[in-house]
Amino acid sequence: VSCPKMQELLKWNGWGYNDSKFIFNKKGVAEFTGKRYRLGGLVLPLLKEWMEKTLGASIEHKTTSRTSLNTSDVPPPIENQEFLQDLRTAKISYSQEAEDRVFRAHGHCLHEILILREGMFKRIPDVIVWPVCHDDVAKIVELACKHNLCIIPYGGGTSVSSALECPADERRTIVSLDTSQMLYEKNLTAHVEAGIIGQDLERQLGESGYCTGHEPDSMEFSSLGGWVATRASGMKKNIYGNIEDLVVHIKMVTPRGVIEKGCQGPRMSTGPDIHNFILGSEGILGVVTEVTIKIRPIPEYQKYGSVVFLNFEQGVACLREIAKQRCAPASIRLVDNTQFQFGHSLKPQVSSIFTSFLDGLKKFYITKFKGFDPNQLCVATLLFEGDREKVLQHEKQVYDIAAKFSGLAAGEDNGQRGYMLTFVIAYLRDLGLDYYVIGESFETSVPWDRVLDLCRNVKERIVKECKERGVQFAPLSTCRVTQTYDAGACVYFYFAFNYRGISDPIHVYEQIEIAARDEILANGGSLSHHHGVGKLRKRWMKESISDVGLGMLKSVKEYVDPNNIFGNKNLL
Amino acid sequence: MAMAAAESSRLGNLLYSQKDFTSKKRDEFEDILEERRQSSDLRYAMKCFTPVVYKGLSPCKPSAIKNIVLQSEQLQYVIKQLSKETGESPDIIQEEASEILDEMSHNLQLGAIRIFAFSLSKIFKRLFQRVRLNEEGIQRLQQAIQEHPVILLPSHRSYIDFLMLSYLLYTYDLSLPAIAAGMDFMVMKMIGELLRRSGAFFMRRTFSGNKLYWAVFAEYVKTILKNGYAPIEFFLEGTRSRTAKTLTPKFGLLSIVMEPFLKREVFDTYLVPISIIYERILEESLYAHELLGVPKPKETTSGLLKARKILSEDFGSIHVYFGQPVSLRTLSSERINRCTYNLIPRHLPQKPSEEIQDFISDVAYKMELLQIENMVLSPWILIAAILLQNLPSIDFALLAEKTLWLKDLTQAFGGFLEWPDNLCAKKAVRSSLALHSNIVNLVNDQVVLNDQGMEAGTTEEVVFKRALSILMCGAYRNQLLNVFVRPSLVAVALQMTHNFRKEEVYGCFAFLRGIFSDEFIFFPGIALKDFEEGCFLLTKCDAIQVTAQEILVTEKGSTIVSFLTAMFKPFVEGYQIIYRYLLKETNEAFVEKQFLSGLGNFGFQLLAAGSSHCYEVLSSDMQKNALAALVRLGIARKMKTNNGFTYAVSKEALNKTAEMFESRIPIRKPVAARL
């Protein structure tokens, strides 16, 4: 029984790689460790002040996580010896080690991480299994039906919807089906086993000059099967599409048998598309084992860019116009002023006087010469892809539109830094947790005409709720428009606050998050654009898809999995 | 049972909150005229005026607002629709819209405000002894203006209302409101323009049929609100109440100003109830004439100049109470299905769902009840109530004694009594009589209704003059009814049922409440709560004892119960006369005008013959309310015809109601009174 390599590289109680994290060094200055990211090893002199100013956090007030798992706290497994015997006969590897079980008991919601740092889950998987191919999965599901066990599929573990949490009242043995060993390829037409992790998939395709172009922010850790099961969305969806546009064929093992289409035609009119039962099913119907995914040649040329706007309103109007003209670059994101200032605080120490002089000059030009108010302006970051000539042409078109909304081009470097931040920002929460700051991100999608109202109202609601619930410090409440569509946009919020002086911060946090979601729905936003529902957002499903809609899903579940083998209780 | 279910479901949404009678805390009053009498009006008018503004304000000129309105998706959509319907080119309709906007829109200018501030100082000082307001309310308002768009909802008793309000806001350095005023004002030369420049905008009294007008108007109001340009002010009652009873609310403007929040175009909206109460109403005699059918003079500038003679008279004190700002967000939480507006683009006109309409109506009633709660009651109001029960005259000492008794009762009922400088009863009564010497006289220690020239005229003139005085007096008594209506209806019900079974008393109460819902403000759908409130107040002053099955009047209580019943008698009797008239006199169908004149004659004859003393039946207000109630209860039908509305009464149904009203037949079993 082998413990997979990836797990050893990752933090057991936080986000990402063990060697990569924000710390305050001996001089009390922030630093990002490790060599994996561009920010790695750099000193960030502005971050401390930003945390003090924006969140009221102080370096003197520190909380500490326990440093390692105390295995005696871990609930003992509910064992099913016959099942284990059958696994051994089938030569499928498994583990009952406490570390392995706890590692797969959670995603990355705030409350889950806090439990790792300070508490213990009530219920965790009893056994982890590592199938290596579709047939293994079919066998495991068959055995689970035979012994009446509960299966929770596990991919990369990056869920933020409590989807991986074990239902506390589940009395059967819970099998965590970890797909991470299913990653050998049968052929290079991108027929891939579903356990592969995003970055490995891109790397392997890259060796042959191809890519899928699907790049969710979690792609370093999340798996192909997970993307399918949650209806994931990638940063560059404007060129490559979201996961539902990318998959050509899916194979899923269910208690009722294997579901798949009979051919790989690019489009079919054969009644409702059965893929839509699988996409976003969140592990309640079965395990995705194999996926055929579209691939594209790696683009010849990539270019980052950025635009500064006078204010958020102008920025949104510009994005709307770009979407209308259908000329959005591979990625376009608009961050509000708060997030712009936050990005600023993550600027590394400059290496020469010359750079700092240049920065000063730029700042002078924008604020004094062009009249941009540093407390109002906001920034759009851009990523263009394609062949060189077309990229340059495209770039000009986008900057021309931006100019109509008095947007100023603000350089490649700012754009690139913006995208780099999306990968490291997840690490920042762990730093915050050390200093009494808890936070989370959440997202929605909304028609264009409501984008501004929704952003303003949700942010204001968060501030109001914090005040009413006794939060002593002003919260961080900020958003960005992170994807554009013909009919609307995806909006992403960050919310964090300093909980010093509050006795039950996690409860307060949850109440505020619920209020924020209520506010989103009241403003015509959706329950989720790409995070999914899990157990965290179940309460709003009925109003999101109607009684009849919910009934349809339930009847599918009833047919496919009458004994609730896939008993993670997500979605319905 | 169905009704009971509907009622309880409506109860579920707790817009209505049970009042706390024991610990009602109200702010102190300050007189603002005092300072005006001591320092220069000119300096006051020229003072530095820098009001606090809404935090989300995007500053713009009135002309820019016009452009925003004309270019708005909402208006452009309606213009396109109209163009399709009528075949007219969009440009012409756009031009029309632009004209409507010009006619309507305000043009706030500081200069005009300064002129107003100066001249109003002069006028107010001459007319009024004191203008008193609660400064804490002003502070709350100042805070509210910075946080969210604010809607000012004053009560409406006089033309002075909105002048006074703007004047007060100017005095306290608060943004002047954009006021929805009737078009009648605009035709007044100069004054119209001055009003416009001090922030008023004008709406036609009726424009229900005119889609373009409605669209322009709604968009204009919403634009002002969303930009946070200025607080918006309008009168829920729609028009000045001639009887000093709060009028049932109109929903049009309220639904417009609520829409931006309901569609989440703003985070929240504050509604501020404001109670403006006059010790002596400027238009008191005019109103009485109007109620008796003497046509209302058109507002003209020269008319206003003639009104100058009133400048030499004393109109006592004014009390203005700024209520607590009410957050629309709080009112709507858990109440409104948020998907309502999510499936239609927000610029498309959308008829509010039934749920939303109910909500708007509840909000309107709630705000009016809040106005009522903070209306100040002066000694004269108590005197008027007593006097009307003791016509033609009452001994001065007795009057003073009864006034004192009523003062205690009013306080027990939670009335907002302001007793001038802790004067003893006799002095307070004497000074009130002096202030209202046009209505009452003190002759040989007898207080008599002013009946100048009464013995000289024809019977007709005598009745008319008598009615005038009584209606004028009644307008003051009516202000007490606001506080007394629930216990009074319990008292009337006790008397009408002749027995003390709680269930039957409640049945009668609910019946009366239904009949009088156009006369008085009842929160929709909570008859039982109103009944309990009435009983609670009566129990509190030991007038009744409530057991599980019965309601018993105590010995002490019989005085109170008969006083309350007598106070309510004009309404009960008036309605009886109206029903009698309708049963005997009319054809199958009639228009309102026929009804009013026929009923007027009928009443006149009764009064002239001395077979009734209910002069208030001559009030067109009561007549119209009675008819509206019959329509509401399904006893009469209102049909639209070419020349206005026609009414038809079902005599059978009316007969039944009339008989119940005269306690000749028992009232139907009360509907599921869970007592």
Side-chain angles (χ1 to χ4, degrees), chain A residues 519-567:
Chain A
E519 192 62 36
I520 286 176
L521 297 177
N523 280 273
S526 64
L527 187 51
S528 170
H529 170 264
H530 60 272
H531 280 175
V533 176
K535 289 178 273 293
L536 195 61
R537 287 176 273 274
K538 260 164 85 166
R539 67 169 80 193
W540 294 287
M541 268 302 267
K542 202 162 98 176
E543 78 175 277
S544 289
I545 63 169
S546 83
D547 273 337
V548 177
L550 204 58
M552 278 170 132
L553 295 186
K554 277 185 179 149
S555 66
V556 169
K557 165 79 178 171
E558 183 62 24
Y559 170 76
V560 172
D561 183 15
N563 295 320
N564 196 26
I565 298 298
F566 288 88

Side-chain angles (χ1 to χ4, degrees), chain A residues 449-450 456 519 543, chain B residues 264-265 329 338 341 346:
Chain A
D449 68 321
R450 297 171 197 257
R456 183 195 59 233
E519 192 62 36
E543 78 175 277
Chain B
R264 294 301 193 275
E265 290 166 327
R329 175 173 274 269
R338 53 191 166 218
Y341 289 104
R346 291 178 297 178

Side-chain angles (χ1 to χ4, degrees), chain B residues 549-569:
Chain B
Q549 299 293 328
E550 289 184 324
I551 298 177
L552 301 169
V553 180
T554 62
E555 206 166 311
K556 180 188 168 197
S558 60
T559 327
I560 294 174
V561 168
S562 57
F563 176 83
L564 295 178
T565 317
M567 184 153 78
F568 231 79
K569 200 169 146 202

